[in-house]
Amino acid sequence: MLEHVRSNDTDGPAARFGRGPQARGDPVSAARRTGTVCHVRIKVLGPVEVDVDGQQPALGGPQQRLVFALLVANADSPVRTDRLIDAVWHDDDPPNRARKTVQVYVANLRKALGGEYAPVESATGGYLLRTGAATVDAVDFEAAVVEPTNEEDPRRTIERLSAALALWNGPAYADLDDAAALVPEITRLDELRLAALERRLEASLALGRHRDVLGELDALTTDHPYREGFTALQMLALYRSGRQAEALRTFQRTRMVLSEGLGIDPSPQVRDLEEAILAQDPSLDLPLGSTATPRPPVADDRLDTQSIRGYELRERLDETDDASLWRAYQPATGREVALRIFGADVANERAFVKRFDHDTQLVAQLERPHLGSIHDFWRVPEGAYGVMPLLRGGSLGDSLRRGRW
C-alpha cells in the first residue's frame, strides 16, 4: 500500500480547546499535527468510498461525487474543467456559475482528503488525482490482471487473480453507474473482471479442478451467454468430469443462443472443441503426468479463496449451532450477498428436509421493501444453502449501542 507522511504541525489554540479539525475526528488533519503516516485508500470496485486511516470522510452530494469519480477514473491524467462540466450537467444546460461550482466541488474534495496533502491537485486546464498519494483499488486490480503470465505456474495464477478479484465489492462505481461519463470506464473494468475470471478458471482446469468450477461456470454462462470463452471452459470441464453428453448439449444451446440473438455461428475454436469432444480426442485430457489437484484446505480467516457454487466466501458474519452466515461474492454478477450454510447433520434431518423447500419458497415470493428476499437456495447431502441480499445496516443491537441515528 502506498503511503504518504504528513509533516509536523503545531497545534493551534482551537485544537487545544477542542474546536479544531482534530476535535471533529479529521484523521488527515490529526496526522499532519503528529507527523504520523496517513493511509488514503480509494475504492470504486463497488460503491465509491474513501478510507483515511480507517475513517470515511464524506464525499458530498451526487454531483461532487461524480467529479471525484471522474478524477479517479482518469488517475494520474489531467481532466479538463470543461469535461467535468459536461459530465455533471450532461442532460441540462450548465449554469453560468458551472466553472465556479466545479472549483468549489474540488476544494471540498481536497479538504476532505487532507487539504494541501490531498491526492487531488490542479493541472493545466483542470485537475488530476495522483496515485502516488493514495491507493486506488481499480488501479491495483488492473496491475494484477495485466501482469505478464508467460509460463506462470497455474497455482500462482489462481492466487494472483483471486486476490485481484477479491477487491470487487459490487459493480464498479455502483452508486454512480447511471452517469453517462463513467459508462466507458465501468464497461472497461467489467471486461477486465470477466477476463480475469476466465483466466483463473483456465488455471483451475490446468490443475484438474474441473469438478470444482462447474457451478461457477454454470452461473457465468447463464449471465454471459455470448461470451464463448466461458462456454468452451464449461464444455471442457463437463467432458473431463465424464459428462460428454452434457458438454455437447452445452454447445448446441450456445449455437441456438448465438443464432437467435446475434444471427451468427459459434467461433471456429468452439466448433473445433465440439468436434474434439465428439471424437473423444486424447488432447482434451489432462497432460500426461498431471493429476487432479484438489483445492487446498483454507483456514477460516482466508475463506476469500473458497467457492461454493460460484459464490466466494469472504467473511464469517454469524454462527449458531445450526448454521453459519457469510459475506460472499458472486463473480458472475459482480455483487456481494449473504450466504447461510447449514451443515450436513442439520440439512439431512427429516424435519428440516420437509420444511426447507416449502419455507424458503414462501420467503422467496415475498416482495416487501423492508424484508430481505432470497436469491437462490439448494440442498445437497453435504448441506443446505440460502443466498440473500447483503444488508449492511448491522443488527438492532448494534443500532441501540450506537445510539441515535
Side-chain angles (χ1 to χ4, degrees), residues 367-388:
E367 295 184 359
R368 296 291 186 272
H370 302 296
L371 291 178
S373 59
I374 292 182
H375 294 319
D376 193 11
F377 62 93
W378 68 93
R379 190 184 66 83
V380 292
E382 294 78 16
Y385 307 85
V387 183
M388 302 156 285

Side-chain angles (χ1 to χ4, degrees), residues 52-317:
V52 181
D53 279 348
Q55 299 190 38
Q56 291 74 44
L59 295 177
Q63 290 186 337
Q64 184 169 299
R65 292 173 69 85
L66 177 56
V67 168
F68 178 67
L70 285 168
L71 295 176
V72 176
N74 296 273
D76 293 320
S77 297
V79 182
R80 296 187 62 83
T81 303
D82 290 342
R83 182 179 171 192
L84 295 174
I85 291 173
D86 289 342
V88 171
W89 288 278
H90 174 68
D91 293 325
D92 303 304
D93 292 331
N96 294 332
R97 293 177 55 83
R99 188 171 296 272
K100 179 63 176 178
T101 300
V102 169
Q103 292 175 353
V104 171
Y105 288 160
V106 173
N108 291 341
L109 291 169
R110 286 176 54 82
K111 182 178 179 180
L113 299 176
E116 62 181 300
Y117 298 95
V120 176
E121 60 187 57
S122 298
T124 303
Y127 307 92
L128 66 78
L129 181 139
R130 290 201 182 278
T131 55
T135 59
V136 182
D137 58 359
V139 174
D140 292 344
F141 170 75
E142 184 170 0
V145 169
V146 301
E147 179 180 313
T149 59
N150 293 338
E151 300 181 0
E152 184 180 40
D153 182 271
R155 294 174 183 82
R156 165 63 182 147
T157 299
I158 293 172
E159 177 184 342
R160 175 174 56 83
L161 294 179
S162 294
L165 289 164
L167 295 173
W168 286 74
N169 294 294
Y173 299 91
D175 52 338
L176 295 168
D177 59 357
D178 59 345
L182 287 173
V183 169
E185 176 66 1
I186 292 172
T187 302
R188 188 185 72 87
L189 288 171
D190 197 51
E191 178 61 28
L192 283 174
R193 180 181 68 86
L194 294 174
L197 282 168
E198 192 170 325
R199 285 161 53 192
R200 178 172 61 77
L201 290 164
E202 289 173 352
S204 294
L205 287 179
L207 291 176
R209 298 177 185 171
H210 34 270
R211 290 184 176 86
D212 292 343
V213 301
L214 282 173
E216 185 173 0
L217 281 168
D218 184 57
L220 287 168
T221 53
T222 299
D223 291 324
H224 305 280
Y226 300 144
R227 197 174 185 95
E228 295 182 71
F230 290 142
T231 298
L233 291 172
Q234 184 181 37
M235 291 169 62
L236 183 57
L238 287 168
Y239 178 77
R240 287 183 178 175
S241 300
R243 298 160 64 177
Q244 179 183 13
E246 292 179 61
L248 294 171
R249 281 198 295 271
T250 296
F251 173 81
Q252 296 297 335
R253 182 175 65 249
T254 298
R255 184 169 63 180
M256 181 179 66
V257 167
L258 292 174
S259 176
E260 294 181 353
L262 302 176
I264 61 175
D265 292 326
S267 66
Q269 292 83 357
V270 176
R271 296 201 302 269
D272 290 346
L273 178 58
E274 183 219 16
E275 293 179 4
I277 290 174
L278 281 168
Q280 298 184 0
D281 192 319
S283 66
L284 298 180
D285 298 330
L286 286 170
L288 290 176
S290 299
T291 57
T293 305
R295 183 186 300 275
V298 185
D300 286 348
D301 60 348
R302 296 283 298 171
L303 274 169
D304 55 326
T305 58
Q306 181 173 329
S307 179
I308 297 177
R309 280 206 180 183
Y311 296 96
E312 297 177 0
L313 304 186
R314 293 193 169 179
E315 178 187 3
R316 190 195 300 268
L317 300 176

